[in-house]
Amino acid sequence: MIVILTKDVKGTGKAGDVVKVSDGYARNQLIPKGFAKEATEGNVRSLEKQKAIAAKKHAEQKAAAEEQAAKLEKVTLVVASKGGENGKLFGSITSKDIAEALESQEGIKVDKKKIDMAGPIKQAGMTEVTVKLFPEVSAKMKVNVTV
């Protein structure tokens, strides 16, 4: 029997896959538990429409992320902090501080979890930070830490 999986099934496939399984497995396990539905012509057409809508939404989100990445590439963010001799900071600049400064200075809202840093910034000066906006889209932004 050919079925469309509605949920991920270990050893069989992922949600949205059209797979061939034994009749007993489909009738006794997959369909009653809601893991699959029979692959009728209408169900297959419905699945294709859902995949097309999801692909369009993914493309729109990627385009928006690329647009935001272009804006971030041009930004040089200035973050002020207290520091001592030789530009060494008393505290450190974290991704949270960068996200807050980015929103207040440029009006661009970015989640702190998307800001990729090797570690907190502990030295004054220019630093390059990567912002991962989408799985395939990232931007490098300059952060100038002043004392």
Side-chain angles (χ1 to χ4, degrees):
M1 177 181 273
I2 299 174
V3 295
I4 300 171
L5 298 177
T6 56
K7 297 180 183 172
D8 293 351
V9 179
K10 188 173 181 179
T12 305
K14 297 204 178 271
D17 290 349
V18 178
V19 294
K20 184 174 183 174
V21 295
S22 68
D23 290 351
Y25 183 53
R27 286 197 185 104
N28 297 326
Q29 293 290 323
L30 297 178
I31 295 173
K33 292 183 179 179
F35 291 130
K37 57 185 176 183
E38 196 171 341
T40 61
E41 196 174 314
N43 286 344
V44 172
R45 263 190 264 120
S46 174
L47 175 69
E48 289 171 358
K49 285 181 185 176
Q50 289 174 354
K51 284 186 178 182
I53 291 169
K56 183 179 177 183
K57 186 176 179 182
H58 179 78
E60 289 173 355
Q61 289 174 342
K62 184 176 179 183
E66 287 173 346
E67 184 179 309
Q68 192 174 21
K71 289 179 185 176
L72 288 175
E73 293 278 344
K74 299 173 187 173
V75 171
T76 301
L77 198 63
V78 179
V79 180
S81 180
K82 294 181 182 178
E85 296 178 22
N86 302 327
K88 189 166 174 92
L89 302 179
F90 290 143
S92 62
I93 305 296
T94 62
S95 58
K96 179 183 176 187
D97 299 326
I98 293 173
E100 289 172 355
L102 186 62
E103 187 172 359
S104 66
Q105 292 178 21
E106 300 294 326
I108 301 172
K109 190 167 185 170
V110 175
D111 187 20
K112 69 178 184 177
K113 296 173 187 165
K114 293 184 178 185
I115 299 173
D116 187 30
M117 300 171 43
I121 301 171
K122 297 182 179 185
Q123 192 74 24
M126 193 70 85
T127 306
E128 197 168 82
V129 175
T130 304
V131 181
K132 294 183 179 180
L133 299 168
F134 207 67
E136 306 96 24
V137 180
S138 62
K140 293 198 181 286
M141 179 178 67
K142 292 182 179 77
V143 177
N144 186 12
V145 180
T146 59
V147 180

